[in-house]
Every structure is written in structure tokens, then in C-alpha cells.
């Protein structure tokens, strides 16, 4: 596999998340003993919201204990993690185990810094094909999905009842916008979501983009502009708050959890928080522009094992990955993360334990990968211009059409 400075720096730019390559911070492997093993193994994930006392933090620590080592876990922002991984690999100090957002896998493979699961002896045969597909390149998988998630609209039943809105009436964009206006007239707030200038913003925009018939290789199409114009209309008319520009999916959820908003676009991982919100809630699919459910992106991370100079470390790394992802372990891992499991057998266990997961399991099964359709490593070079366009349009810097024209140019694709 390629592991040159040029390839790594090119891939760092392809991730498209920070202003400069030098901003891709570093990392470090655990200290080794004379046998080539280490009492400490480094573990990176995109869950900075979970500290050592959280269920996830405890789960990771348990897997270290079962492997006979101590895990030094660091949680990074999703966007930052891919960049740090690239530079750490360039510097020869990649972490032993790393969870990365599924679209980043192909970029890291292109850089030559991930091991194939087959080479490590990891079994992925039970993983659903649309989930494992995001981490499969040229027929080889380079990680094991820890779980999957996707997006829908949570709604506040009390607010909709007071505004005389039947959630079953939300069939398309027009009916959703009409509902938001009724809610505003009733003195409440409409909808909150994340439009931040990171992959989270693109992730949240995709259902609307795809729901309008948008194509990621043609960001400047009228269909793409329709989706961005919808979001801009909501912000301009006060149906969505201006702070969506800075909202992460976490802060967007916190807004919805205040009980002041009728709708919140968010994911499976918020179910546990929804139960604690203090008001009755429901979930509906994100509607397509002209009806039906919009295609939603497959979310979730892959547990990967970066290439190490000291290959003796792989045996323990494999034990850690297996502890988190084997059929016997997935239920505990996905319960800690509130994720839908990537295998049908464990999904059935989840639904039996919590029937409210059933619509989410169905949504994940039908979700679309962000790197699908042959995009692979091209996706990050499209996603960054797309979220930049969203930011420009919602802030009033450019019209949706002008913003998307600029995005298409930046993505380097021919206009269509």
C-alpha cells in the first residue's frame, strides 16, 4: 500500500476539512516493551461528547482490559479526526485502533494507511451490504462497522397538537413548510437542524438534496438549488433559527430538547436523549420534495486498524476490534452509542428490547452511502464545497444558485 508523503498530503487535502495541511494535528502510539507489545494502546474515535465515565468510555476500557492492555482513548470532532489520522500516519505515530466516519475510509485507504480486515483475520460476513459497502474498496473491506445510523425528523407532540398540525399530514416540502408556519403563528419555533461548515452540515443537508433529486456530481443543478432555497426560506422567514449556521448535531438537539421547537432533524443516536426530554415526541421520515420519504445518508463509523511499523501490535489491536464488533459484543457497543447494529441478528435483538427502534432499522436498511455510486474518495472534495455553499446561502452572502455554481467549480466537475 502507498504511504508516501505526497500521497498523504494529497489525501489530507482531499478530506477537505481544515484550512491547511499543517492544521492536521499529530498523535502517538502507546509505549512498547521489549516484546514489541505495549501496556498502552492508543484509540481514537469521533465521540468527544463521551468521557471516561460514559457507557461508551467504559465499553472501550473494558475491551482494553479483556485484551490485557490499557487503552488511551482520545475523542476528536468527526471532521478533525480524519485530518489528524493522515498526518499521524505520515509521521509514523498512527493510533493502534481508530473509529472513522464511513466516507473517510476510502480516503485513508487511498493514502495507504489502513489494513484490510482479511489480512487481520476479522470476519465481516454478517454485516449488511449497504453498510459494509462504505468501507469496501476494490472488493476488500478496510474496517468493521461499529453500527449505523441515519436521519429523520423528531417532533414535539404538544407543540403540534396546540398548533393543530397532524404529523401524518407531513407528506412533502409544502406540507412541512405549512406546518412550520402554523407553529410559528401559535407562538412556537419551527425546525432546527445543523448547517455547520463541516461534514455534519453536509450529512444533514443530503436528505433535502437527494429528496429534490439532486446529484452529487452536479451540485449546480436546479434540483440542488431547490433544496438549498428551501433551507434559506425557512431561515429568512424565521421558521428555522439563524444559528443553524453554527449548530452541530449535538447543539441542534439541545435546541429541540428545550421544548420550544416543533421539529428537529437528528439521528438514531438521540433516542435515549429523546426519552429524557420531558415532553412527548414522535418521529417521521424526512419528506421528499414532491412526496414520499427522502433518501437519507448512511451514518456510522468503521473500526479500523491503521498500518503500524511494529506489526506485532496487530494481534492486540484485533482483539480490541473483535471485542467491540463481534456478534456477541455488538449489542453492548451499539447500546452504548445508541446506534443501529450493522447485522440483522443484532438488529432483531435491539427491536425486541426497544420497539421504537423499528422504523430506524428500516431506514438504515434503505439508506444511501455518501461514497456510493462510484464516488469513493471524490466524496470529500464534493462535500466541502457543498457545505460551503450552504453556509454562503444561509448567511446571505450568495444566492443559492450562485453558491452552488461556486461549489460545482470548486468540486472540479463539469456542469450538467
Amino acid at each position: 500500500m502507498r504511504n508516501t508523503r505526497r500521497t498523504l498530503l494529497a489525501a489530507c487535502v482531499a478530506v477537505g476539512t481544515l484550512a491547511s495541511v499543517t492544521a492536521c494535528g499529530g498523535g502517538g502510539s502507546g509505549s512498547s516493551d521489549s516484546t514489541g507489545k505495549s501496556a498502552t494502546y492508543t484509540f481514537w474515535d469521533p465521540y468527544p461528547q463521551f468521557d471516561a465515565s460514559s457507557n461508551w468510555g467504559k465499553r472501550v476500557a473494558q475491551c482494553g482490559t479483556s485484551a490485557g492492555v490499557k487503552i488511551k482513548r482520545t475523542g476528536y470532532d468527526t471532521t478533525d479526526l480524519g485530518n489528524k489520522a493522515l498526518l499521524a500516519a505520515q509521521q509514523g505515530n498512527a493510533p493502534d485502533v481508530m473509529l472513522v466516519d464511513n466516507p473517510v475510509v476510502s480516503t485513508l485507504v487511498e493514502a495507504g494507511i489502513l489494513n484490510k480486515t482479511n489480512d487481520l483475520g476479522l470476519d465481516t460476513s454478517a454485516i449488511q451490504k449497504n453498510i459494509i459497502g462504505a468501507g469496501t474498496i476494490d472488493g476488500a473491506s478496510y474496517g468493521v462497522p461499529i453500527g449505523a445510523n441515519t436521519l429523520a425528523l423528531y417532533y414535539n407532540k404538544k407543540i403540534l397538537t396546540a398548533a393543530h398540525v397532524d404529523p401524518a399530514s407531513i407528506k412533502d416540502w409544502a406540507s412541512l413548510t405549512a406546518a412550520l408556519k402554523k407553529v410559528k403563528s401559535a407562538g412556537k419555533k419551527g425546525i432546527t437542524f445543523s448547517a455547520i461548515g463541516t461534514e455534519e452540515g453536509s450529512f444533514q443537508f443530503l436528505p433535502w438534496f437527494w429528496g429534490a433529486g439532486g446529484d452529487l456530481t452536479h451540485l449546480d443543478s436546479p434540483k440542488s438549488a431547490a433544496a438549498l432555497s428551501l433551507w434559506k426560506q425557512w431561515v429568512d422567514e424565521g421558521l428555522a433559527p439563524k444559528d443553524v449556521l453554527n449548530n452541530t448535531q449535538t447543539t441542534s438537539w439541545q435546541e429541540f430538547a428545550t421544548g420550544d421547537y416543533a421539529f428537529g432533524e437528528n439521528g438514531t443516536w438521540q433516542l435515549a436523549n429523546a426519552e429524557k426530554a420531558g415532553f412527548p415526541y414522535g418521529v417521521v421520515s424526512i419528506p421528499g420534495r414532491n412526496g414520499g420519504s427522502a433518501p437519507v445518508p448512511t451514518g456510522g463509523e468503521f473500526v479500523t486498524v491503521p498500518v503500524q511499523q511494529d506489526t506485532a501490535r496487530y494481534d492486540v489491536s484485533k482483539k480490541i476490534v473483535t471485542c467491540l464488533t463481534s456478534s456477541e459484543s455488538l449489542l453492548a457497543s451499539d447500546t452504548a452509542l445508541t446506534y443501529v447494529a450493522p447485522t440483522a441478528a443484532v438488529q432483531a435483538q435491539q427491536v425486541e428490547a426497544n420497539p421504537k427502534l423499528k422504523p430506524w432499522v428500516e431506514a438504515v436498511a434503505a439508506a444511501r452511502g455518501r461514497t456510493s455510486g462510484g464516488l469513493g474518495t471524490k466524496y470529500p472534495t464534493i462535500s466541502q464545497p457543498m457545505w460551503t455553499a450552504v453556509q454562503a446561502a444561509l448567511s446571505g452572502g450568495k444566492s443559492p444558485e450562485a453558491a452552488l455554481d461556486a461549489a460545482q467549480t470548486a468540486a472540479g466537475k463539469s456542469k450538467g
Side-chain angles (χ1 to χ4, degrees):
M1 293 187 293
R2 289 172 296 147
N3 195 18
T4 65
R5 176 180 175 83
R6 177 177 296 177
T7 301
L8 283 164
L9 293 181
C12 194
V13 173
V15 173
T17 50
L18 294 181
S20 68
V21 173
T22 56
C24 304
S29 296
S31 56
S32 298
D33 61 24
S34 60
T35 66
K37 295 184 179 180
S38 171
T40 302
Y41 271 58
T42 50
F43 184 103
W44 292 1
D45 65 40
Y47 314 129
Q49 69 272 31
F50 297 136
D51 62 19
S53 66
S54 67
N55 289 336
W56 173 248
K58 292 175 181 176
R59 181 87 188 99
V60 173
Q62 288 167 358
C63 286
T65 300
S66 68
V69 298
K70 179 180 179 181
I71 290 181
K72 181 182 179 182
R73 173 184 165 258
T74 305
Y76 292 104
D77 174 80
T78 300
T79 296
D80 200 20
L81 180 58
N83 288 329
K84 291 188 183 299
L86 287 162
L87 192 64
Q90 177 198 356
Q91 296 173 338
N93 60 357
D96 292 291
V97 179
M98 180 169 61
L99 271 74
V100 295
D101 195 18
N102 67 75
V104 179
V105 173
S106 58
T107 298
L108 299 182
V109 171
E110 179 79 7
I113 63 175
L114 294 183
N115 282 290
K116 295 179 181 178
T117 53
N118 282 346
D119 291 346
L120 296 167
L122 293 165
D123 182 15
T124 60
S125 59
I127 308 293
Q128 288 182 342
K129 291 187 176 179
N130 71 320
I131 299 176
I132 190 69
T136 302
I137 294 89
D138 296 330
S141 62
Y142 286 83
V144 185
I146 189 72
N149 56 62
T150 195
L151 296 166
L153 294 180
Y154 288 86
Y155 63 86
N156 185 316
K157 291 183 177 181
K158 289 178 67 175
I159 289 179
L160 293 193
T161 298
H164 304 292
V165 172
D166 180 357
S169 70
I170 308 299
K171 301 289 189 182
D172 52 23
W173 290 2
S175 56
L176 176 55
T177 300
L180 297 179
K181 290 180 178 179
K182 285 185 178 180
V183 167
K184 184 181 178 184
S185 295
K188 290 293 186 178
K189 299 177 182 178
I191 186 170
T192 181
F193 49 87
S194 169
I196 195 170
T198 70
E199 180 57 30
E200 287 189 64
S202 290
F203 186 69
Q204 291 243 318
F205 183 59
L206 278 173
W208 312 95
F209 180 88
W210 283 334
D215 180 339
L216 285 171
T217 63
H218 301 297
L219 294 176
D220 54 353
S221 73
K223 293 177 179 178
S224 307
L228 188 47
S229 295
L230 177 72
W231 271 20
K232 180 171 173 55
Q233 174 193 350
W234 289 348
V235 172
D236 288 351
E237 295 182 3
L239 303 176
K242 293 186 183 299
D243 63 14
V244 296
L245 281 163
N246 300 312
N247 267 349
T248 65
Q249 294 182 105
T250 297
T251 56
S252 173
W253 176 263
Q254 290 168 349
E255 283 187 330
F256 178 71
T258 62
D260 293 331
Y261 285 84
F263 295 93
E265 179 184 351
N266 231 295
T268 325
W269 58 91
Q270 299 292 6
L271 274 173
N273 288 328
E275 295 294 335
K276 303 173 186 175
F279 53 82
Y281 75 95
V283 178
V284 294
S285 298
I286 295 173
R289 181 182 186 182
N290 297 315
S293 297
V296 287
T298 303
E301 290 77 40
F302 277 63
V303 191
T304 65
V305 177
V307 172
Q308 302 288 341
Q309 293 179 352
D310 181 3
T311 59
R313 300 180 71 82
Y314 294 152
D315 285 343
V316 171
S317 296
K318 176 185 174 182
K319 290 178 181 179
I320 295 169
V321 175
T322 300
C323 176
L324 290 170
T325 64
S326 69
S327 298
E328 298 77 20
S329 307
L330 267 172
L331 184 60
S333 296
D334 288 322
T335 298
L337 293 170
T338 322
Y339 275 10
V340 172
T343 69
V346 180
Q347 287 173 0
Q349 295 177 50
Q350 289 180 303
V351 172
E352 182 178 357
N354 182 5
K356 290 183 178 180
L357 277 174
K358 185 176 180 180
W360 292 100
V361 168
E362 293 171 350
V364 164
R368 182 185 299 181
R370 285 166 278 176
T371 56
S372 62
L375 286 182
T377 56
K378 298 175 184 177
Y379 173 76
T381 67
I382 296 169
S383 178
Q384 182 178 15
M386 182 166 65
W387 81 54
T388 300
V390 170
Q391 288 264 307
L394 298 192
S395 67
K398 293 181 180 178
S399 69
E401 292 79 9
L404 289 167
D405 281 345
Q408 184 66 29
T409 300
K413 301 290 186 290
S414 61
K415 192 170 181 178

